[in-house]
Amino acid sequence: WFIGGINGVNPMKFDINFSFLDPDRIYSAKIYSDDPSVNTRTHVRIDSMNIDSKTVFPVNLNPDNGIAIHLKTGNKINE
């Protein structure tokens, strides 16, 4: 799965609800977001976390920023 969003001129806050995912699996997520404090040419921050179908991820987008999330299927729960 890939999830992405691009923001306009106004700041925006919202939640991404992952209830559409298989409830019997854990997923690994790489989250790419704009962050001016990151000392690279693109100023893209990369975070990693595990999520499941119960995860609700809060997003805070500044003006003219974006977010991308790459999900990979992981192990079944209780495996």
Side-chain angles (χ1 to χ4, degrees):
W1 291 92
F2 288 90
I3 299 169
I6 300 172
N7 196 23
V9 297
N10 297 313
M12 181 178 277
K13 293 182 181 185
F14 58 92
D15 292 330
I16 299 175
N17 184 323
F18 289 96
S19 61
F20 62 90
L21 296 174
D22 181 341
D24 296 325
R25 291 203 173 269
I26 299 287
Y27 296 78
S28 63
K30 283 223 181 204
I31 303 156
Y32 303 84
S33 58
D34 292 305
D35 185 343
S37 70
V38 174
N39 192 21
T40 64
R41 182 182 57 79
T42 59
H43 303 289
V44 173
R45 178 185 177 120
I46 303 171
D47 294 299
S48 298
M49 65 184 289
N50 290 326
I51 64 167
D52 60 24
S53 64
K54 296 176 187 164
T55 302
V56 177
F57 184 75
V59 177
N60 295 309
L61 289 180
N62 289 324
D64 301 319
N65 282 191
I67 188 168
I69 302 173
H70 180 207
L71 299 177
K72 288 186 179 180
T73 305
N75 295 330
K76 282 194 169 192
I77 295 173
N78 298 324
E79 225 179 42

